[in-house]
């Protein structure tokens, strides 16, 4: 097998691994609104109606589904030092019928006595009956200001779905997140005082150069964005997610904008296309914190053919914000990736049947400050230089992880291929050298006349029925071949193998070794020969013993034995010469061997 073949096999193997990578399936077809993409490696679980047999959750991501009217319990074990955040993302498929405000989730954390740990979250829809991902969290927070749910022990995450017959009857996929926040080294910072920041939003960025953003289907593949102006495309009925790093002490000022519709610019165009003058809840902009808690999730604006924008301006990120009674301020409680969800109502197809140009204006205000001092590092509630670099490049969250995985697979495939190839080369060289050393010690005329034998590997070559295996040491020159010797001798006393496709002295086809060459191919000079005495020469010097070859050339019959009369005649002429026909055959084989040497080179290695 050649190097090219090995490299091809390695490439195919690497391609197979890449094809099987998680997250490569489920891509929406052209024109189809893609469904929510869950986290790679999320654990599938099934909540139960009773807390008694609730499945146990561990920190990380989990998936389940929930039907209308269902309530599900999940068991968790919490300590008395860290706060725990339990998010739920309901993601009915695009096109699912839902009812605004009526269809919603209820998310809460309960202790073993049934007491509720803090407020109950109620994410719901606000897009005029169109389905899109909704999310929020419930919290078991440790704090000096609290008295409930502060002890270590068993707790339960409870998720229920509320709705009426006006919504679709099918179950909704649900993604559950379990995230912990470490305790602080020192005391808890105070809540920022009122008036320390202005709620009046400044003007959004007005950069003339727009950079391309790549929105995702949800939190797990959200497109990263930084300060500046970004552009993307959005289809009616679609929700696109983006994320931006916001550090301690910083504020976020964002705007999502639609252009005017050319179909509504003229009365004739409107009459032809049937567009209306007004679409309520046309464009939505929702904002979530790093734990997927809703900062604001009901910011929808109408559209009537003219440019429209949905805007959001936040409080500065501060640990003490969790003590604030206003939800939009309380959610700005830690640094990290903040998520933007932009939703376009399906009714906007009358204005933008092929999708609309979407403009994002992103501004991060303020200078980053030191964090509150967690007792241990936490990547979820911090902003790193790598995060800022990813945002500036517009790199999607899942795309970054995937590119690292593909690179690792590529390097692994290359390394595996090189290791495999070098291993085969070394095996070949070492096997031949060891055999050659053993053969010289036993008096073998040519180290290349017998191929090395590797346990478990069957090499092609002549095998005589009932004979000694062909890897035995050949008889010394001038001796009589032992009974059952697997390589019959011709007139010259050497093995009767020749170049594949040609005939040897007995008319049999030459049998190749493991490289598809005759045993002596690749060595300069004449084929290896062993001189024989007159006592061992057959009675008819010009002919070789006749062999009966098998159909697949893997075995040959045992050579016929010379008669006693022939042996006596041979003894009388101990120095008889080889016949002209035999010399002619030998010379032809020598010439062929020379050509093989030029073609294949030395046989010790590749």
């Amino acid at each position: 097998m050649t190097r090219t073949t090995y490299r091809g096999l390695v490439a195919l193997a690497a391609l197979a691994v890449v094809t099987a990578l998680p997250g490569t399936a489920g891509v929406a077809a052209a024109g189809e609104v893609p469904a929510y993409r869950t986290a790679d490696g999320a654990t599938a679980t099934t909540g139960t109606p009773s807390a008694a047999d609730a499945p146990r959750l561990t920190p990380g991501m989990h998936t389940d589904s929930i039907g209308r009217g269902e309530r599900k319990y999940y068991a968790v074990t919490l300590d008395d030092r860290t706060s725990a955040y339990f998010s739920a993302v309901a993601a009915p498929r695009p096109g699912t019928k839902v009812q605004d405000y009526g269809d919603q989730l209820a998310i809460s954390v309960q202790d073993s006595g049934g007491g509720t740990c803090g407020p109950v979250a109620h994410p719901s829809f606000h897009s005029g009956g169109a389905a899109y991902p909704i999310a929020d969290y419930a919290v078991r927070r440790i704090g000096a200001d609290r008295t409930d749910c502060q002890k270590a022990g068993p707790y339960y995450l409870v998720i229920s779905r509320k709705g009426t017959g006006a919504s679709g009857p099918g179950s909704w996929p649900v993604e559950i997140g379990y995230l912990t926040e470490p305790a602080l080294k020192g005391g808890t910072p105070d809540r920022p005082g009122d008036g320390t920041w202005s709620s009046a939003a400044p003007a959004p960025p007005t950069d003339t150069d727009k950079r391309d953003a790549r929105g995702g289907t949800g939190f797990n593949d959200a497109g990263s964005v930084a300060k500046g102006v970004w552009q993307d495309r959005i289809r009616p009925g679609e929700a696109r997610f983006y994320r931006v790093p916001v550090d301690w002490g910083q504020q976020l000022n964002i705007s999502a904008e639609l252009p005017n519709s050319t179909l509504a610019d003229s009365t004739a165009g409107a009459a032809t296309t049937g567009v209306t003058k007004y679409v309520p809840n046309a464009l939505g902009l929702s904002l979530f914190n790093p734990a997927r808690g809703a900062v604001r999730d009901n910011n929808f604006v109408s559209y009537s053919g003219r440019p429209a924008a949905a805007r959001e301006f936040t409080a500065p990120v501060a640990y003490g914000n969790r003590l604030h009674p206003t939800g939009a301020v309380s959610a700005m409680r830690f640094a990290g990736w903040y998520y933007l969800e932009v939703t376009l109502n399906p009714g906007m197809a009358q204005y933008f049947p092929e999708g609309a140009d979407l403009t994002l204006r992103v501004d991060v205000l303020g200078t980053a400050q030191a964090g509150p001092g967690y007792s241990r590092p936490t990547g979820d509630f911090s902003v790193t230089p790598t995060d800022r670099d990813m945002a500036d490049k517009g790199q999607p969250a899942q795309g970054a992880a995937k590119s690292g995985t593909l690179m690792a697979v590529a390097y692994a495939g290359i390394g595996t291929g090189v290791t495999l190839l070098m291993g085969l080369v070394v095996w070949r060289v070492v096997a031949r050298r060891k055999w050659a050393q053993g053969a010289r010690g036993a008096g073998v005329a040519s180290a290349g006349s017998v191929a090395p034998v590797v346990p478990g590997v069957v090499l092609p070559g002549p095998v005589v029925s009932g004979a000694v295996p062909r890897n035995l040491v050949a008889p010394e020159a001038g001796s009589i071949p032992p009974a059952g010797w697997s390589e019959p001798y011709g007139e010259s006393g050497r093995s009767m193998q020749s170049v594949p496709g040609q005939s040897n002295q007995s008319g049999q086809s030459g049998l190749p070794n493991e490289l598809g060459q005759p045993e002596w191919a690749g060595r300069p000079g004449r084929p290896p020969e062993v001189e024989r005495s007159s006592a061992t020469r057959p009675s008819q010097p010009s002919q070789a013993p006749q062999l009966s070859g098998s159909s697949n050339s893997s075995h040959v019959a045992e050579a016929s034995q010379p008669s006693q009369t022939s042996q006596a005649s041979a003894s009388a002429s101990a120095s008889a010469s080889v016949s002209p026909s035999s010399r002619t055959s030998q010379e032809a084989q020598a010439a062929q061997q020379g050509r093989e040497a030029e073609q294949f080179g030395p046989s010790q290695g590749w």
Side-chain angles (χ1 to χ4, degrees):
M1 183 176 291
T2 64
R3 290 184 177 89
T4 302
T5 304
Y6 282 119
R7 288 171 179 169
L9 291 175
V10 171
L12 289 174
L15 180 60
V17 172
V18 173
T19 305
L21 286 174
T24 56
V27 178
E32 178 185 351
V33 175
Y36 182 89
R37 188 171 187 173
T38 56
D40 292 340
T43 303
T45 188
T46 302
T48 57
S50 171
D53 54 355
R56 187 165 301 278
L57 299 182
T58 56
M61 303 306 300
H62 306 266
T63 58
D64 198 357
S65 62
I66 190 168
R68 187 174 62 223
E70 278 192 304
R71 172 177 292 181
K72 292 193 171 186
Y73 286 81
Y74 308 87
V76 295
T77 301
L78 305 179
D79 60 28
D80 58 356
R81 300 179 305 278
T82 58
S83 298
Y85 295 84
F86 300 93
S87 63
V89 182
R93 291 195 63 86
T96 300
K97 185 179 180 181
V98 297
Q99 184 182 33
D100 280 5
Y101 299 95
D103 279 325
Q104 61 180 249
L105 294 181
I107 311 168
S108 64
V109 179
Q110 297 179 2
D111 60 20
S112 58
T116 302
C117 305
V120 179
H122 293 94
S124 58
F125 301 94
H126 308 281
S127 184
Y132 58 93
I134 57 174
D136 208 344
Y137 62 26
V139 184
R140 194 295 298 260
R141 182 171 65 82
I142 295 294
D145 62 308
R146 303 189 62 84
T147 57
D148 58 335
C149 301
Q150 299 295 291
K151 297 181 179 180
Y155 290 83
Y156 299 95
L157 168 65
V158 185
I159 302 177
S160 56
R161 173 183 164 186
K162 300 179 180 180
T164 66
S167 61
S171 296
W172 295 345
V174 177
E175 184 176 55
I176 302 169
Y178 177 3
L179 185 62
T180 60
E181 182 185 25
L184 299 182
K185 294 179 181 178
T188 303
D190 294 332
R191 190 188 96 186
D194 295 335
T196 57
W197 60 280
S198 174
S199 59
T206 58
D207 303 19
T208 56
D209 294 332
K210 294 183 180 180
R211 289 183 284 175
D212 291 331
R214 291 174 287 177
T217 64
F219 295 94
N220 306 297
D221 58 353
S224 303
V225 293
K227 181 176 181 178
V229 181
W230 302 78
Q231 62 183 1
D232 201 357
R233 293 279 295 177
I234 187 170
R235 287 168 285 187
E238 184 177 17
R240 295 186 72 76
F241 281 72
Y242 309 87
R243 64 176 191 167
V244 55
V246 185
D247 214 334
W248 299 102
Q250 294 184 323
Q251 294 175 268
L252 186 59
N253 182 29
I254 53 177
S255 175
E257 302 173 0
L258 290 178
N260 62 293
S261 171
T262 58
L263 296 179
D265 283 345
S266 65
T267 305
T272 302
T273 58
V275 297
T276 61
K277 291 294 183 180
Y278 181 77
V279 176
N281 301 324
L283 177 67
L285 176 61
S286 301
L287 179 63
F288 303 89
N289 67 22
R292 303 186 178 184
V295 178
R296 188 176 181 187
D297 63 349
N298 60 351
N299 184 10
F300 279 77
V301 297
S302 61
Y303 189 84
S304 58
R306 295 186 296 271
R311 297 185 174 92
E312 188 65 48
F313 180 58
T314 73
V317 174
Y319 188 92
N321 282 341
R322 64 194 62 205
L323 305 177
H324 202 284
T326 304
V329 178
S330 177
M332 301 297 295
R333 62 180 62 187
F334 25 54
W337 289 102
Y338 279 74
Y339 296 87
L340 322 177
E341 179 184 12
V342 180
T343 306
L344 190 62
N345 191 303
M348 293 292 288
Q350 58 187 319
Y351 287 109
F352 303 102
E354 302 299 327
D357 291 323
L358 174 66
T359 299
L360 291 176
R361 301 184 187 274
V362 180
D363 197 4
V364 180
L365 306 173
T367 303
Q369 302 175 3
Y374 286 114
S375 59
R376 60 178 173 83
T378 172
D380 295 305
F381 306 129
S382 63
V383 175
T384 66
T386 300
D387 295 337
R388 296 188 181 94
D389 184 62
M390 290 177 59
D392 190 62
K393 294 178 180 178
Q395 189 173 14
Q398 198 164 33
K402 182 179 179 181
S403 63
T405 302
L406 291 177
M407 187 62 68
V409 170
Y411 282 130
I414 293 173
T416 302
V418 171
T419 301
L420 176 62
L421 183 60
M422 293 304 297
L424 291 172
V425 172
V426 171
W427 168 82
R428 171 71 177 173
V429 173
V430 172
R432 279 194 170 274
R433 287 180 178 175
K434 286 185 176 180
W435 181 90
Q437 293 172 1
R440 285 194 297 270
V444 178
S446 173
S449 60
V450 181
V453 175
V454 180
V457 179
V458 179
L459 300 178
V463 178
V464 179
S465 176
V468 180
R470 69 189 298 266
N471 60 319
L472 292 180
V473 178
E476 296 182 2
S479 62
I480 300 177
W485 179 249
S486 62
E487 297 194 4
Y489 284 74
E491 183 63 22
S492 64
R494 66 176 178 83
S495 174
M496 288 172 48
Q497 299 185 47
S498 63
V499 180
Q502 296 185 357
S503 298
N504 57 21
Q505 296 173 16
S506 64
Q508 299 296 325
S509 297
L511 299 174
N513 61 10
E514 72 274 20
L515 291 180
Q517 306 173 28
E519 295 291 345
W520 46 264
R523 291 179 173 79
R526 297 171 57 84
E529 298 183 2
V530 180
E531 295 184 358
R532 305 182 61 198
S533 66
S534 59
T536 61
R537 184 173 294 126
S539 59
Q540 297 180 2
S542 61
Q543 296 182 0
Q546 298 297 315
L547 307 177
S548 57
S550 62
S551 59
N552 59 4
S553 298
S554 62
H555 296 79
V556 294
E558 185 177 0
S560 59
Q561 298 294 330
S563 63
Q564 295 179 357
T565 305
S566 299
Q567 293 178 359
S569 176
S571 299
S573 54
S575 61
S577 61
V578 179
S579 65
S581 60
S582 177
R583 291 194 185 94
T584 302
S585 177
Q586 293 177 10
E587 292 173 356
Q589 291 179 357
Q592 176 65 26
Q593 184 229 357
R595 290 190 295 271
E596 293 289 342
E598 294 177 357
Q599 178 180 358
F600 295 102
S603 61
Q604 298 296 329
W606 289 355

